[in-house]
Amino acid sequence: MDSSQDTDHTDHTDRTDHTDPAPDPHRPDTDPHHPDTDFIRLDGVEKVFDVRKKTGFLRSERRQVRAVDSISFTVSRGEMVGYIGPNGAGKSTTIKMLTGILTPSGGRLRVAGIDPSRERTRLAQRIGVVFGQRTTLWWDLPLIDSYRLMHRMYRIPDTRYAENLDRCVELLQLGDLLDVPVRQLSLGQRMRGDIAAALLHDPEVLYLDEPTIGLDVVSKVRVREFLRDLNADRGTTVLLTTHDLSDIEQLCRRVMVIDHGRLMYDGPLTGLHEIGESERTLVVDLERELPPIDVESARVVKVEGPRQWLAFPAAQSAAPLVARIAAEYPLVDLSVREPDIEAVISRMYAEKATS
């Protein structure tokens, strides 16, 4: 893929330095109109696409698809927020409007007081974007050459560029990859390279669209640790879209659920699990085949030889359950599987239909 065709790099021409001290990401703010409280603000935002469908020879009909439907929310400076939903829910469309790639069909949208679609060049200096399935790196160039190009395009001061590059290379373990052409990198390596590229100019906001998709366990852990440190050390505001609820649990205190273009939930992850009555699965490997495990607050849903699957409420901690099993049974290994977000949303719909 030639990312020079996919990504609009020509907009990044101006350079504005922002020297405000990093805010406390957990500082409560009682003023709802404080600039830090509504650092990102959407009021009734809509996005409608005109789609033509072929109905016969040389004939087609036009219909409208409402990808985002009157969404309103605010994100405070320094927050890390999960923005989740099934495929086609409107997540990526929202991110594209927040970055200025798409213009809203209706409503009002501001990021750091800037209208993204009207002042995309100005906003580009203050945001970083990582699309999991689309790179911002130059496909045939070594990784370091992409970084040098971004150094010039964003007009990053030399000292700041060197400091940020060294920090990203160290924390994301990119040292051995800098001279490797991007096309030769694995998906996990390229993703870490993309995250570094998005942070070279010290953005105040980082949008991550499926940043851990297709990554192995080690790469996921490395990326999560880096993002956690970035938010804690620099107060970077992060909006994260993902299908992996483990990403949300590890990084975000707040989660928003979107489906069919509408915001269905905005609150803590525990509240989402309670509404959807979702369950996690504990996979237990015993030393030998035994009758189904009998422990309080969990139920065995499947047994295959010495391996057993136990379901328990997703809002419940797995630690007490693991401790009881380890104390009473000959445990060899175990793992926890998170509920699928589509299943959670499906349960939410079912709950609303019966209420």
Side-chain angles (χ1 to χ4, degrees), residues 128-202:
V129 188
V130 177
F131 289 105
Q133 302 185 60
R134 189 174 183 180
T135 187
T136 56
L137 304 170
W138 277 260
W139 199 243
D140 293 312
L141 296 181
L143 188 59
I144 188 62
D145 285 354
S146 286
Y147 296 156
R148 288 168 178 156
L149 286 166
M150 291 177 180
H151 176 199
R152 301 198 47 145
M153 285 190 309
Y154 282 97
R155 299 182 182 178
I156 309 170
D158 292 345
T159 301
R160 182 188 303 177
Y161 167 76
E163 291 174 352
N164 288 345
L165 180 61
D166 289 345
R167 181 172 184 270
C168 288
V169 167
E170 178 183 358
L171 295 179
L172 291 170
Q173 298 186 18
L174 297 171
D176 295 336
L177 306 176
L178 293 177
D179 295 322
V180 179
V182 172
R183 56 184 165 76
Q184 294 181 12
L185 299 177
S186 69
L187 179 59
Q189 293 169 339
R190 179 175 62 76
M191 188 60 59
R192 284 183 277 137
D194 269 308
I195 291 173
L199 295 171
L200 290 175
H201 61 295
D202 279 333

Side-chain angles (χ1 to χ4, degrees), residues 45-62:
V45 171
E46 300 180 347
K47 184 58 184 178
V48 179
F49 294 99
D50 287 330
V51 178
R52 289 191 175 275
K53 182 179 179 181
K54 190 173 182 180
T55 57
F57 184 68
L58 298 179
R59 295 173 59 187
S60 65
E61 63 179 18
R62 194 180 90 175

Side-chain angles (χ1 to χ4, degrees), residues 257-275:
V257 178
I258 182 176
D259 194 30
H260 292 90
R262 296 185 177 183
L263 193 63
M264 296 180 58
Y265 176 83
D266 185 354
L269 184 61
T270 52
L272 173 61
H273 285 314
E274 289 169 0
I275 292 174

Side-chain angles (χ1 to χ4, degrees), residues 1-45:
M1 175 173 63
D2 183 353
S3 72
S4 62
Q5 298 175 358
D6 292 336
T7 307
D8 184 358
H9 297 291
T10 59
D11 282 352
H12 309 151
T13 54
D14 299 330
R15 178 68 205 173
T16 303
D17 288 332
H18 303 281
T19 56
D20 296 337
D24 179 358
H26 306 306
R27 176 182 59 80
D29 201 313
T30 56
D31 182 0
H33 301 296
H34 192 283
D36 282 355
T37 302
D38 55 359
F39 191 58
I40 299 174
R41 185 177 190 90
L42 286 78
D43 294 307
V45 171

Side-chain angles (χ1 to χ4, degrees), residues 212-269:
T212 62
I213 189 170
L215 300 193
D216 58 73
V217 174
V218 174
S219 293
K220 282 187 178 183
V221 170
R222 190 172 295 147
V223 167
R224 289 169 184 161
E225 289 177 348
F226 177 80
L227 294 174
R228 192 183 300 113
D229 291 344
L230 177 75
N231 176 256
D233 295 344
R234 302 200 175 187
T236 304
T237 305
V238 179
L239 188 63
L240 167 67
T241 77
T242 180
H243 280 81
D244 190 340
L245 284 185
S246 295
D247 289 343
I248 304 297
E249 289 189 323
Q250 295 284 331
L251 297 171
C252 305
R253 295 184 177 184
R254 173 186 171 195
V255 61
M256 295 185 286
V257 178
I258 182 176
D259 194 30
H260 292 90
R262 296 185 177 183
L263 193 63
M264 296 180 58
Y265 176 83
D266 185 354
L269 184 61

Side-chain angles (χ1 to χ4, degrees), residues 272-296:
L272 173 61
H273 285 314
E274 289 169 0
I275 292 174
E277 298 181 343
S278 58
E279 293 180 319
R280 289 194 284 177
T281 302
L282 183 67
V283 183
V284 178
D285 288 320
L286 303 174
E287 290 181 356
R288 59 186 181 276
E289 186 173 349
L290 290 174
I293 293 173
D294 183 12
V295 290
E296 187 180 352

